[in-house]
Amino acid sequence: MVCGIAAVTMPKPSFSLRAEQSSALDLSADATSGLASHSRRDFVFVVNPKGANGRTGKEWKKLLPYLRTRLGGHCNICESITSGPSHAMDITREAIREGADAVIAVGGDGTLHEVVNGFFWAGNLVPSLDRRPEHSTALGLIPLGTGSDFARTFGWKNDPYEAVERIVRGFKSKLDVGIITGQSGEQHFFINVADIHLSAKAGYYASKFKRFGNLCYVFGALRAFIGHTNWDLKVKVNGGEWEVFHKVTALCIGNAKFFGGGMKITPTADPSSGNLEVVILQDFKWYDFVLKLHKLYKGTHLSERNVSSRSHHQHCHYHTSSLRSSLPLPPLLQ
Ligand SMILES: Nc1ncnc2c1ncn2[C@@H]1O[C@H](COP(=O)(O)OP(=O)(O)OP(=O)(O)O)[C@@H](O)[C@H]1O
């Protein structure tokens, strides 16, 4: 299945974005019948102790005895604490190679994103040394971050005890994975929302304000508006004609619905539909952002005059080209 999105800056291409549906990942620990009916499994919990301004580490310590009680009878629980950015990727790759049955991200969207990228190496799924044909490693999540936006699409709260119960129940679902191909051909994988221009800058600045909880994303966006210039963007779908979008503030590619601590930016996205939803915000000033913030949270912004939305199906290729030649910030992948 191929659902592709590509963005290229012009006239001198400075980076390229290509998002496509890759092989589906499983979102939880087991198939349909819960854990009890299966032999002992290896579950690796990848914990970011610094998530949510340090709350993740504290909550995890409290959660661990409960986790052992609920899962320890059926699973080998391996706790792996990250030491810094990107470490979750290495832990995940190692766990998959060693034949883990599930790798479970414990933290926010940044940690989840790193774990997802750890499922891949050089553009392919990391192979397992476990040669059983039916064996695969599932992706799991205990949402314990600041925004925990990916979890919102499923209606999951930042409640680790509920998350443990979901894992115990063994509910499993297929999940689409988007692929961004950088200018030098390197690939990044995303399951939530990938975005460029203002919102990507906002995500960067939000990381400086995490002590304010979810509000960090609003502060980050307001900070990002300082010195921000909207661009004219050309868009081409499936090799068709170029279409110009004037004064683009942000282009957001949603596999799931939420970013920015609960903003329902791509409200019709569904991570198991095989489609990606692209939302383009145009000519937003900081005060538009403030005035329309409630609509962004509710997901009712699509009816606004300067917001457009498209859903892209399998085998769709989507190119954008900036009319400016300057290098934009790289996309933020959540
Ligand atoms: N030990 C560590 N020390 C410092 N930073 C870390 C460590 N481990 C992971 N990180 C980084 O912390 C970043 C943010 O973590 P995470 O997403 O879990 O929490 P958050 O930012 O509070 O939540 P959200 O992204 O949902 O708002 C990750 O992208 C990761 O690169």
Side-chain angles (χ1 to χ4, degrees):
M1 218 169 353
V2 178
C3 174
I5 291 187
V8 185
T9 54
M10 297 269 283
K12 190 164 176 257
S14 37
F15 74 92
S16 71
L17 261 178
R18 179 164 176 259
E20 68 185 52
Q21 188 185 6
S22 178
S23 44
L25 297 177
D26 297 330
L27 230 203
S28 188
D30 194 13
T32 48
S33 54
L35 294 170
S37 60
H38 295 272
S39 57
R40 236 179 139 72
R41 288 160 183 256
D42 294 318
F43 282 11
V44 177
F45 291 83
V46 183
V47 185
N48 172 8
K50 304 289 182 195
N53 210 32
R55 194 171 61 84
T56 308
K58 290 183 195 136
E59 291 285 335
W60 171 252
K61 276 191 193 142
K62 287 191 258 166
L63 183 70
L64 198 49
Y66 180 76
L67 188 69
R68 290 204 169 109
T69 310
R70 295 296 286 129
L71 279 175
H74 314 290
C75 305
N76 300 317
I77 295 170
C78 172
E79 174 196 20
S80 215
I81 308 290
T82 60
S83 58
S86 299
H87 190 199
M89 252 185 288
D90 299 332
I91 296 170
T92 303
R93 285 192 187 121
E94 184 63 20
I96 293 170
R97 282 191 199 108
E98 295 294 323
D101 294 288
V103 179
I104 296 157
V106 183
D109 294 304
T111 301
L112 177 63
H113 177 68
E114 290 184 7
V115 168
V116 166
N117 277 270
F119 272 74
F120 298 91
W121 176 255
N124 298 308
L125 280 168
V126 171
S128 169
L129 298 177
D130 186 326
R131 298 285 175 215
R132 282 173 295 158
E134 76 282 9
H135 180 265
S136 65
T137 305
L139 166 70
L141 173 64
I142 296 185
L144 261 176
T146 306
S148 288
D149 282 304
F150 182 73
R152 291 172 196 265
T153 293
F154 299 88
W156 298 343
K157 296 190 211 94
N158 246 358
D159 181 334
Y161 298 90
E162 276 185 23
V164 170
E165 291 311 311
R166 279 193 298 274
I167 294 167
V168 170
R169 280 199 301 275
F171 174 74
K172 185 168 106 168
S173 67
K174 296 282 186 191
L175 181 65
D176 301 335
V177 179
I179 304 174
I180 302 280
T181 305
Q183 197 183 12
S184 52
E186 82 282 2
Q187 292 188 318
H188 307 273
F189 299 86
F190 71 97
I191 56 172
N192 196 34
V193 179
D195 49 300
I196 54 177
H197 211 24
L198 182 105
S199 48
K201 284 192 278 183
Y204 167 77
Y205 288 121
S207 66
K208 317 278 178 207
F209 298 114
K210 292 272 163 161
R211 63 190 179 282
F212 297 108
N214 255 356
L215 271 181
C216 69
Y217 288 100
V218 176
F219 295 156
L222 291 173
R223 171 65 188 83
F225 269 109
I226 298 174
H228 174 78
T229 311
N230 294 323
W231 294 332
D232 291 344
L233 267 191
K234 290 196 296 181
V235 173
K236 181 158 79 169
V237 180
N238 277 348
E241 294 298 310
W242 285 107
E243 189 184 342
V244 176
F245 288 80
H246 292 286
K247 298 184 181 172
V248 171
T249 309
L251 183 146
C252 309
I253 306 163
N255 185 47
K257 297 179 197 297
F258 294 89
F259 77 174
M263 295 176 207
K264 208 174 188 177
I265 186 68
T266 42
T268 66
D270 172 353
S272 54
S273 65
N275 298 341
L276 293 167
E277 184 185 9
V278 177
V279 168
I280 303 177
L281 308 182
Q282 289 170 270
D283 199 17
F284 267 60
K285 310 281 189 316
W286 71 268
Y287 47 85
D288 294 310
F289 171 73
V290 171
L291 290 173
K292 289 171 186 167
L293 194 55
H294 64 293
K295 293 197 170 190
L296 285 170
Y297 280 115
K298 282 192 201 147
T300 54
H301 54 290
L302 299 189
S303 57
E304 289 293 307
R305 149 192 81 72
N306 49 354
V307 178
S308 54
S309 164
R310 298 163 178 214
S311 183
H312 290 291
H313 304 274
Q314 298 164 25
H315 303 294
C316 170
H317 290 268
Y318 189 93
H319 300 260
T320 70
S321 160
S322 168
L323 299 180
R324 287 164 56 89
S325 59
S326 63
L327 182 72
L329 282 172
L332 179 76
L333 307 168
Q334 299 195 62

